[in-house]
Amino acid sequence: MQASRDTKEDEVTEPHSLVELMQAIESIDTPSGRIRFDEVLDAIGRRAFGPLLLLAGLVTLMPIVSGIPGVPTLMALFTLLVCVQLLVGRRTFWLPGWLRNRTLPSDKVRTGLGWMYKPAQWIDRLLHPRISFMTGPRGIQLTALACFVLSLAMPPMELVPLTVNIAGVALTLFGLSIMARDGLLSILAFIITGASLFTILYSLL
């Protein structure tokens, strides 16, 4: 069973842009009307840190999806687990079955993606490699650490309107920066991460 899963993972073509990741998610067949998180991971791959961060960011960024109670916390747990495993040096990211088997309404996911296609195409045209040290090995470790801290703050963000969507922007930029080797996006994501953490602390204290 594990060998079969590993072979399937090896055959997955890792998305290299925001539009490619969205298309991979939209291509999933969902006759039940629900999309399993495990199916999304199969579609985008489980070995690449950038697409996984981008996935968490997209789900958290879409108001129609992130507004579902518990979804931001689910994405926080997902991000937390991925970041911890990257920091300890794992090459394939493991997730518990209860998390992989969580589902979302496929119609809401596709509606949210539909709203984002034009902005995604515009963003993809702006991406190119630059400020490479921000997306090198040390830069990726710093990104994982920042996303780890951000994931801890995301559950209470459900109590403060719009702050979880700001966290989604940061995760999306971090994921895109790694995929495109675009260090400028990484710098912007660090700034947004700091702003979102400050906002949640200010709102709750």
Side-chain angles (χ1 to χ4, degrees), residues 28-174:
I28 299 170
D29 185 26
T30 55
S32 67
R34 307 282 298 183
I35 182 169
R36 289 175 57 240
F37 203 55
D38 204 37
E39 294 173 320
V40 177
L41 296 177
D42 283 340
I44 68 171
R46 302 165 188 264
R47 301 177 186 272
F49 186 49
L52 293 177
L53 275 186
L54 181 54
L55 170 64
L58 276 182
V59 173
T60 309
L61 184 57
M62 293 186 289
I64 195 171
V65 178
S66 62
I68 300 173
V71 168
T73 298
L74 179 68
M75 289 298 98
L77 289 171
F78 170 68
T79 304
L80 181 69
L81 286 169
V82 170
C83 289
V84 167
Q85 291 176 77
L86 178 79
L87 289 169
V88 300
R90 280 186 62 92
R91 296 182 63 187
T92 302
F93 298 111
W94 171 88
L95 294 171
W98 65 266
L99 181 56
R100 297 196 313 270
N101 290 326
R102 292 295 296 269
T103 64
L104 291 171
S106 57
D107 59 336
K108 289 191 175 183
V109 172
R110 288 192 165 90
T111 298
L113 291 174
W115 289 349
M116 298 179 68
Y117 260 107
K118 285 190 177 180
Q121 291 169 345
W122 179 78
I123 290 170
D124 282 344
R125 286 197 294 269
L126 298 178
L127 301 178
H128 59 85
R130 52 189 159 186
I131 317 179
S132 58
F133 71 90
M134 291 298 298
T135 55
R138 293 295 184 190
I140 290 177
Q141 287 182 329
L142 285 174
T143 293
L145 187 58
C147 292
F148 174 85
V149 174
L150 189 60
S151 68
L152 294 177
M154 283 170 64
M157 285 180 181
E158 290 198 59
L159 305 175
V160 183
L162 299 180
T163 53
V164 75
N165 301 114
I166 298 174
V169 172
L171 291 174
T172 298
L173 290 177
F174 276 130

